[in-house]
């Protein structure tokens, strides 16, 4: 064996070791996130319960201002629990896979919106050609749930209009979820996909800032990609590509 072949073999072995270490580090990080998000729930519940008991014990001795502070404290606990839920969703997104099954996407979208209980003036339009995909139903539903929820929360008004469309490509289906809400400035188009990122104060719009991060991991772990088209004041269209063979109905 010549020196060049030995060098190639050594580099290949080193690359394999690095890949193995990277996979292990990723698994360790996901496990840490999963355990930490579980273990933090107990003290949070304790804080919430203690504030409730204090309020009940002190009764009329507690001023209106102090009662308001107790409510704010419990609100912050709920926000932290929401962030932990987001971390759990994120840790599961890349490692938990489900058995593919036929999924009528049109029905899935409508069922997902119903669970979110939008106001009576909100409108959903589903474009033609929605397929019946043989795919992971829980993961695809989670993607649509986050996107529809974001459209409702950030619209800035009750009569938001949401339109979902699809375009079939050779390897993927390209879905888009558009709304006529407040829109997103181009300087935030990359930032919004990072963990715990919100463009509006959480005191105005409650949220953990994990939804789009979870979507990105769900989609990319299945070979797809995500992006957004938007301008401030002109609504937003979120795009993602999703694998899955289309079931032909006879």
């Amino acid at each position: 064996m010549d020196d060049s072949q030995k060098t190639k073999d050594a580099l290949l072995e080193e690359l394999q070791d690095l890949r193995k270490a990277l996979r292990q580090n990723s698994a360790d990080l996901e496990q840490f996130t999963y355990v930490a998000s579980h273990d933090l729930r107990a003290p949070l519940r304790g804080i919430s319960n203690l504030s409730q008991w204090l309020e009940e014990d002190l009764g009329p001795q507690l001023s209106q201002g102090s009662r308001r502070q107790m409510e704010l404290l419990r609100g912050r606990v709920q926000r932290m629990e929401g962030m932990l839920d987001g971390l759990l969703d994120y840790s599961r997104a890349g490692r938990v896979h489900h058995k593919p099954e036929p999924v009528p996407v049109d029905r899935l979208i409508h069922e997902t919106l119903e669970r979110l209980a939008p106001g009576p003036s909100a409108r959903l339009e589903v474009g033609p050609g929605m397929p019946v995909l043989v795919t992971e139903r829980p993961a695809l539903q989670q993607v649509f749930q986050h996107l529809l929820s974001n459209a409702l929360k950030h619209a800035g008004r009750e009569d938001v209009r949401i339109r979902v469309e699809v375009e079939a490509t050779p390897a993927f289906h390209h879905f888009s979820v558009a709304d006529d809400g407040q829109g997103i400035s181009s300087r935030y188009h990359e930032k919004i996909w990072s963990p715990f990122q919100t463009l509006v104060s959480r005191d105005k719009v409650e949220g953990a800032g994990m939804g789009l991060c979870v979507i990105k991991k769900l989609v990319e772990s299945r070979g797809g990609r995500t992006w957004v088209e938007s301008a401030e004041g002109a609504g937003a269209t979120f795009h993602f590509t999703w694998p899955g063979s289309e079931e032909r109905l006879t």
Side-chain angles (χ1 to χ4, degrees):
M1 183 182 297
D2 58 27
D3 291 341
S4 62
Q5 185 60 46
K6 289 180 180 178
T7 302
K8 288 178 182 178
D9 290 345
L11 288 173
L12 182 59
E13 184 177 353
E14 184 178 354
L15 181 60
Q16 290 173 340
D17 289 342
L18 287 172
R19 286 175 175 169
K20 184 178 179 180
L22 183 60
R23 284 194 298 268
Q24 184 60 52
N25 287 340
S26 178
D28 290 346
L29 181 59
E30 287 181 354
Q31 182 65 19
F32 170 79
T33 302
Y34 184 80
V35 172
S37 57
H38 267 88
D39 291 350
L40 286 171
R41 289 181 183 278
L44 284 174
R45 291 193 196 102
I47 292 169
S48 182
N49 290 338
L50 281 171
S51 72
Q52 188 71 52
W53 296 337
L54 278 171
E55 192 170 347
E56 292 171 357
D57 289 345
L58 292 172
Q61 301 175 46
L62 208 60
S63 68
Q64 280 299 112
S66 296
R67 290 183 187 278
R68 175 59 180 159
Q69 294 301 321
M70 290 292 189
E71 290 174 5
L72 287 173
L73 185 152
R74 287 192 290 274
R76 296 301 186 268
V77 168
Q78 290 175 356
R79 180 182 298 171
M80 187 66 183
E81 287 179 336
M83 295 172 78
L84 291 176
D85 287 338
L87 276 174
L88 273 177
D89 288 343
Y90 184 74
S91 71
R92 292 172 179 151
R95 62 183 176 84
V96 176
H97 290 265
H98 300 84
K99 184 178 179 180
E101 60 180 291
V103 179
V105 178
D106 188 306
R107 189 190 309 164
L108 177 76
I109 293 168
H110 282 95
E111 289 174 353
T112 301
L113 187 70
E114 286 176 13
R115 289 194 182 95
L116 295 171
S121 58
R123 290 184 297 155
L124 171 66
E125 299 173 4
V126 179
M130 286 294 160
V132 176
L133 283 182
V134 179
T135 188
E136 299 174 70
R137 180 188 179 90
L140 183 58
Q141 184 170 28
Q142 195 173 3
V143 171
F144 277 118
Q145 180 175 317
H146 283 303
L147 289 175
L148 294 172
S149 176
N150 272 2
L152 294 171
K153 282 193 299 185
H154 297 286
R157 62 182 200 281
E158 292 291 325
D159 62 340
V160 60
R161 175 177 168 268
I162 305 170
R163 182 169 178 81
V164 184
E165 295 185 297
V166 65
E167 177 185 355
T169 64
F172 293 87
H173 280 74
H174 169 198
F175 292 97
S176 63
V177 179
D179 66 67
D180 59 353
Q182 301 180 62
I184 304 167
S185 171
S186 60
R187 65 181 181 272
Y188 298 121
H189 286 188
E190 294 298 324
K191 178 182 178 181
I192 58 174
W193 302 99
S194 300
F196 304 119
Q197 295 298 324
T198 59
L199 301 183
V200 180
S201 168
R202 289 188 175 93
D203 291 327
K204 294 181 179 179
V205 178
E206 194 62 58
M210 289 293 292
L212 292 178
C213 177
V214 170
I215 288 171
K216 184 178 177 67
K217 191 171 183 183
L218 281 167
V219 171
E220 291 185 352
S221 66
R222 287 155 178 85
R225 66 187 188 96
T226 60
W227 69 100
V228 64
E229 294 178 334
S230 182
E232 198 166 0
T237 302
F238 286 89
H239 300 266
F240 69 95
T241 57
W242 192 262
S245 59
E246 187 169 348
E247 183 173 77
R248 301 296 178 181
L249 301 179
T250 57

